[in-house]
Amino acid sequence: MLTFPAKIEVTEFENSVVVFDYNSGQTHNIDLDVYDIICFIQLNSPIESSSVEEKFIANSSPEEKTLLSTYIRDIINSLVQLKLVQSVECD
Amino acid sequence: MRLKQLPLKEIKKRLAKQGLILAIGPFNIAIKSNLSTIAENLQRVYSEFSVLTDDALIDFYVRVDKPRSIRRWIKPQVFFYFDDVSPFLPLPASQAYPLLEWGMNWCIAKFSHQYLILHAAVLEKNDSTIILPAESGSGKSTLTALLTLNGWRLLSDEMALIDNLNGKLIPIARPISLKNESITLIKNVNNDAVFSDIVDDTNKGTISHLKPSNDSVEKLENLGSAKAIIFPKFNKQSATIVAKVDKANAFMKIIENSFNYNVLADVGFKTLSRLIQNVDCYEFQYSDTQEAVAFFESIISPEQIKDDYS
């Protein structure tokens, strides 16, 4: 299950956003596509990782779905590493 | 009263006793020293700055002096003191004046968190203010000196001070720190340029400080509004290259050039966001100084910069 514990400040630019994370004090330069995923998790937290994938691979061909799923999983893993998103075990 | 109105004898007397209090941009700095070289160099490169009276509110009390030990005489050393505490290791006595300048940099960077402080030069011409963030050795100060000799107003050479409240650039206009070949280059450009003593064998090589233009010191009250951020890089092998930098990337590059972004946390983020949103950002590589000056002149014309470099 993915949660969004971060309190963030965001400045949007043309192709990406810069995010300040109050918890870590870190600043991140994030692609707009990735920011869409952040916003979706933030809005729907807590949410299953699979639900995030489903949301963003809808209306894709089967080949695209495989590719996109991997891509989105990588993004989620990166966001977890950056501590913008938290992955929690549920009973 | 300007420092140039004080005779050297009086400057030495104040430095040795109550302190010489200079208004340097937004800071009032009380300087003490028993060293003649400090008095002589201050008189030369800070001559246009205002001297304050003893009842002025002081931001920093600094002192550069020899220690009371054998190193006063044998291989003499000097210490920099801030509030009578020495935060650094001593340097050879020949480096007393650069040590004072570096010490003042340290005071500002360490204690002035009302500003977002960038390692950057700031220059203004025709109401267009340009910020030049750069690492040491990028040719920033040489470019800054060249531009000031071509009519640009110096707001700062070493530290851009951005007010966290309103995003304005605060002029400080201290002398420009030049290294190695840059000193000769600038002397060749303008024979009348005034320098502090040339000091060899410092950690940064040979050092001398160029006196800021009178105009830059007279306009210390005039705040700047940034129009562009330019990341300069001197490269002997390079033609003049200008490339627009994506604003988010510029944001991250500026963080790397900030003294206190991490200290300021969200305040620094907001100040930098406001700054970047209102400027264009460029990487600028050069070897030809005349072309470099011409590029900066072109920046003053908004139409030209849009057409040529976007």
Side-chain angles (χ1 to χ4, degrees):
Chain A
M1 192 71 84
L2 301 173
T3 63
F4 191 83
K7 185 188 171 201
I8 58 172
E9 198 82 48
V10 177
T11 300
E12 293 195 30
F13 295 107
E14 206 173 323
N15 302 313
S16 51
V17 297
V18 179
V19 173
F20 175 76
D21 178 358
Y22 281 86
N23 291 341
S24 67
Q26 299 286 308
T27 304
H28 309 289
N29 181 2
I30 289 174
D31 190 86
L32 278 180
D33 294 339
V34 178
Y35 185 56
D36 284 345
I37 296 174
I38 292 180
C39 290
F40 183 71
I41 296 171
Q42 187 177 22
L43 206 65
N44 298 284
S45 172
I47 185 170
E48 292 285 354
S49 182
S50 56
S51 305
V52 179
E53 287 174 38
E54 277 165 29
K55 156 76 182 165
F56 287 95
I57 63 174
N59 307 320
S60 306
S61 67
E63 305 88 71
E64 284 175 335
K65 280 186 181 177
T66 314
L67 211 66
L68 279 174
S69 288
T70 313
Y71 179 58
I72 291 164
R73 269 199 298 276
D74 285 348
I75 289 173
I76 291 172
N77 286 338
S78 299
L79 293 175
V80 170
Q81 276 178 5
L82 293 176
K83 296 181 180 170
L84 288 169
V85 167
Q86 200 168 27
S87 178
V88 289
E89 297 286 330
C90 290
D91 295 330
Chain B
M1 187 202 332
R2 300 289 171 98
L3 185 60
K4 66 182 176 189
Q5 294 169 274
L6 285 183
L8 185 60
K9 195 177 166 190
E10 175 63 19
I11 295 173
K12 284 182 178 176
K13 189 178 143 198
R14 291 194 190 195
L15 284 168
K17 293 192 171 169
Q18 74 270 35
L20 176 71
I21 305 169
L22 291 179
I24 304 176
F27 306 111
N28 296 340
I29 305 183
I31 304 167
K32 285 189 177 185
S33 180
N34 283 304
L35 304 170
S36 299
T37 181
I38 295 289
E40 287 155 7
N41 281 294
L42 283 174
Q43 188 191 42
R44 211 179 306 154
V45 293
Y46 280 90
S47 59
E48 300 300 321
F49 285 77
S50 296
V51 180
L52 303 179
T53 52
D54 293 347
D55 56 355
L57 290 174
I58 305 299
D59 294 286
F60 306 119
Y61 290 91
V62 301
R63 179 162 66 90
V64 173
D65 265 326
K66 289 181 182 173
R68 287 179 185 168
S69 70
I70 195 162
R71 296 307 292 267
R72 194 176 181 85
W73 312 110
I74 299 170
K75 289 188 177 176
Q77 293 180 324
V78 281
F79 281 80
F80 173 82
Y81 300 91
F82 167 71
D83 281 349
D84 285 327
V85 175
S86 177
F88 316 127
L89 291 171
L91 289 177
S94 61
Q95 298 180 27
Y97 184 71
L99 179 61
L100 173 64
E101 289 287 348
W102 296 331
M104 288 195 285
N105 287 347
W106 178 84
C107 292
I108 294 167
K110 190 143 179 83
F111 299 105
S112 307
H113 301 314
Q114 66 272 42
Y115 307 117
L116 174 65
I117 307 174
L118 310 181
H119 185 233
V122 185
L123 294 143
E124 180 267 336
K125 194 171 190 180
N126 298 347
D127 292 327
S128 295
T129 306
I130 313 287
I131 304 175
L132 288 83
E135 292 164 9
S136 211
S138 60
K140 164 182 66 66
S141 293
T142 314
L143 195 53
T144 301
L146 281 167
L147 290 167
T148 60
L149 295 175
N150 280 275
W152 286 71
R153 173 166 78 105
L154 176 74
L155 279 81
S156 71
D157 164 45
E158 197 71 17
M159 293 175 165
L161 305 175
I162 305 164
D163 194 321
N164 288 318
L165 294 176
N166 56 24
K168 295 283 187 186
L169 287 147
I170 310 297
I172 183 161
R174 286 169 55 205
I176 300 169
S177 170
L178 292 169
K179 295 186 272 292
N180 305 317
E181 307 93 73
S182 303
I183 300 167
T184 317
L185 189 149
I186 297 301
K187 282 190 171 175
N188 289 340
V189 170
N190 188 335
N191 277 333
D192 298 330
V194 176
F195 286 84
S196 66
D197 291 343
I198 294 175
V199 180
D200 295 317
D201 300 325
T202 76
N203 281 342
K204 300 181 177 191
T206 300
I207 288 276
S208 183
H209 288 80
L210 172 67
K211 183 190 166 195
S213 67
N214 294 356
D215 179 58
S216 300
V217 182
E218 277 163 21
K219 292 181 178 167
L220 276 170
E221 301 290 321
N222 298 6
L223 310 185
S225 296
K227 178 182 175 122
I229 295 175
I230 297 166
F231 299 93
K233 178 80 188 158
F234 177 79
N235 182 346
K236 265 184 189 169
Q237 316 298 327
S238 175
T240 301
I241 301 171
V242 183
K244 202 153 190 176
V245 181
D246 173 83
K247 289 191 178 194
N249 287 330
F251 197 114
M252 303 309 282
K253 275 169 76 92
I254 289 177
I255 291 175
E256 289 169 22
N257 284 293
S258 173
F259 288 97
N260 64 346
Y261 176 84
N262 288 330
V263 175
L264 294 173
D266 59 314
V267 173
F269 178 83
K270 286 169 188 165
T271 302
L272 195 46
S273 294
R274 178 164 49 185
L275 173 73
I276 299 271
Q277 277 167 332
N278 293 319
V279 299
D280 290 319
C281 305
Y282 302 90
E283 278 177 340
F284 176 66
Q285 209 168 123
Y286 75 101
S287 59
D288 185 312
T289 52
Q290 285 184 343
E291 283 185 19
V293 172
F295 164 70
F296 278 81
E297 295 294 339
S298 79
I299 286 232
I300 294 169
S301 155
E303 292 75 26
Q304 196 164 345
I305 199 163
K306 269 190 189 136
D307 293 347
D308 293 353
Y309 306 115
S310 54

